[in-house]
Amino acid sequence: MDFVPAPAVHRVLCADCGDPIVPNSANLCVNCLRNTVDITEGIPKQASVSYCRNCERFLAPPTQWMIARPESQELLAICLKKLKGLNRVRLTDAHFIWTEPHSKRLRISLTIQKEVLTSTVLEQVFEIEYLVQHGQCPDCTKLAAKNTWKALVQVRQKVPHKRTFLYLEQLILKHGAQKDTISLKEVKDGLDFFYSQRSHAIKMVEFLSGVVPIRSKTSERLLSADTHTNTANFKFTYSVEIVPICKDDLVCLPPKLARQLGNIDPLTLCTRVGNSLHLLHPSTLRSCEVIASTYWRAPFDSLAGVSDLVEFTVLDIEPSGRTHGKWVMADAQVAMSGAFRSTGTYEDDRMMDYETASSTNQIFHTRTHLGGILQPGDAALGYHLSNTNFNSDDFASLPQDRIPDVILVRKAYPNRRKKNKSRNWRLRSMAKEEGEEGETGGGRGAVGRMGGRDQKKVEEDYELFLRDLEEDPEMRATVMLYKADGMKPGKAVSRTNDVKARKKTQHAMDVDEVPVPVPVPALEAETEEEEEADFPEVKLE
C-alpha cells in the first residue's frame, strides 16, 4: 500500500505574540484576540435580586412577584432578566454555581458567543454574582399595615345561631376560596372578609352565590382623586345577605308563592340548603326548589328552628309504599319521650298539670317522610304543633284540618349523646387564635373569636354542627374531615360538655351523694354494642 502524505498545513505567525497559528482574518491567536476584544463588555458582573421573606417570592421585572425555588429554572430566568446587554450576544449555556444558603449570594456561570471580526466567532465563559436583597412585596406591605384593604365583603345572616357560618367556613376551606383573604373579622351577625384587590372580593361573592342563596349590594367610597391624570382611588364594599332559612327549619310559604311552586302545601320542611332552598311537604312527599331571586321577591321567615325540636318516641310505623328519592312515606304513632312513665319523680313535679294530663301521655298519629329509617322504639326529633303558637299570618290562614299535631324531622340518637365519646376526626379553621398551632389546629377559627356572653351559645352551635355532620352523610360529603391526632377512645370529652361540667362544679349545691350502682362488664359491653348499632359510622380515607 502506497503512503499518501497529508496535505500540508500552512501556518502564519501571530501579529502580537509571534506564535504559529492557522491563518484567520485577524492574524491573531485566541489569547491575543481575547485580550484585544472583550465580548462581555456592557454586561455587568454584579447585580441584585429582590426577595420577600414573608411570602418567599422574588421580583420578576418589572412588577411581578414570583415563587421560585433555589437553583430552579424560574429563578435562573429571573436573574437573566436583570442583566443588560445579553441581547447583543448569543447565550449558549447558563447554570448556577453552588453557594452557602445563608450567604445571600447567587453565582451564575454564563457561556456566550459573539462574532468579533469577519467570519470569526469568539466564545467566552464568565461568572456573575447576584446579591439577594431582602424586602417586602406590596401585598405583604399592606398586610403589615392596618386598614389598607381595598375591598370588603360583609356576609350576614339574621338567625339566632352560627351553624350556617360554621358550615360555610368548611366549604370555603374545601374549595380554597380563602387564599386571597388578607384579614378576617367576626361581627354580630356574620363575618367580614378583607381583600387587597377588588377582583378578589368579586371572586368571593361569586363563590358565595354558588353555595348559598344570597343577595348582594355594592358600594364604593372615594379616598383620593387626581384631576390632572383623571385617576381616583376607591374602597369597595360588597354586602352579602344569606337567606335566613336553615336546614330542618319549619316553613310556611305565602299562598301566592305556594301556588307558583306547583300548588304545594304551604307547611313544608327545609331539607337542604345549597344555592337554592329545597322544601318538602312530609305528608305528601311533594318537593319544590326556591331559588334566591324567587325568595327575595317574596321573602318569608321560618316558623321554628332546630332549637324548637322536641324528642318523640316511635311506637309504631307502617310504610305506605310511596317513595320520593330517599324519602319513604309512612303512617306513624309517636309519643313524647318519657311518656307513660311512673309518676312521683322530680321531673314530673316540675311539669304543669296540663302537660302531665294531656300532652305527655298522649299518642299522636302523623304521616312522615322518614319511613325508610324509623323503626318502633326509635327516637325522633320533630315539631309539636298542637302546643305551639306562631306569629305568622300565613300559618293562621291555614285550615286547621291541614295542620298535623306532630311533624317529624329526623331520627335522633339519644344514647350516643349520653356517652360523650370523643370523635376520631376534626375540622380545620380559617383564622386561628394567637398561640394555636398551624392552620389545622383544634381551636375555634372564623366563628367564636368574639368571646363574652355568646361563647357558650357558639360552643353549643358547634356541637350541634358536629352532630349534624355525623348523622347526615350527604352533608358530611361536602366538607373535609381530618384524622384527630392523639385521641384515645373513652378518654377525651367534647369541649362543650367540659365547659358545662366546670360551670356545674363551680355553682353546684352541697347535697348528699347517692351511690351509683356499678354495672356488670358483660352487660355494659352488650349495652354499648346495642347503642352503637344504628349510629352512622364516619369513615376517614
Side-chain angles (χ1 to χ4, degrees), residues 140-148:
C140 294
T141 304
K142 292 182 179 180
L143 285 176
K146 293 183 179 180
N147 300 327
T148 56

Side-chain angles (χ1 to χ4, degrees), residues 438-450:
E439 207 178 40
T440 58
R444 196 64 359 93
V447 181
R449 299 167 60 91
M450 296 178 64

Side-chain angles (χ1 to χ4, degrees), residues 152-157 164-178 181 184 189-195 199-217 237-243 272-277 291-293 296 430 446:
L152 167 64
V153 179
Q154 299 175 338
V155 186
R156 301 290 185 267
Q157 187 185 32
T164 301
F165 290 98
L166 291 170
Y167 180 59
L168 186 62
E169 178 185 12
Q170 301 304 318
L171 291 179
I172 291 175
L173 286 171
K174 181 177 181 180
H175 297 278
Q178 84 290 355
T181 306
L184 182 64
D189 292 329
L191 298 173
D192 288 346
F193 298 86
F194 298 89
Y195 296 93
S199 59
H200 296 164
I202 296 176
K203 187 176 180 181
M204 171 58 79
V205 174
E206 293 177 351
F207 170 78
L208 293 176
S209 64
V211 295
V212 288
I214 63 170
R215 67 174 176 180
S216 60
K217 296 181 180 179
T237 301
Y238 296 86
S239 178
V240 177
E241 184 179 358
I242 304 178
V243 170
R272 181 176 175 270
V273 179
N275 54 3
S276 60
L277 299 176
I291 61 177
S293 58
W296 293 115
M430 281 191 295

Side-chain angles (χ1 to χ4, degrees), residues 342-392:
S342 60
T343 59
T345 61
Y346 173 69
E347 294 183 0
D348 291 337
D349 294 339
R350 292 188 303 170
M351 298 176 64
M352 304 297 290
D353 293 337
Y354 71 90
E355 291 180 338
T356 57
S358 60
S359 175
T360 306
N361 298 334
Q362 185 178 357
I363 298 178
F364 300 96
H365 297 263
T366 184
R367 183 166 291 176
T368 179
H369 60 292
L370 304 177
I373 58 176
L374 290 181
Q375 298 294 333
D378 289 346
L381 295 177
Y383 296 108
H384 196 184
L385 301 184
S386 59
N387 282 354
T388 309
N389 293 325
F390 298 112
N391 187 15
S392 173

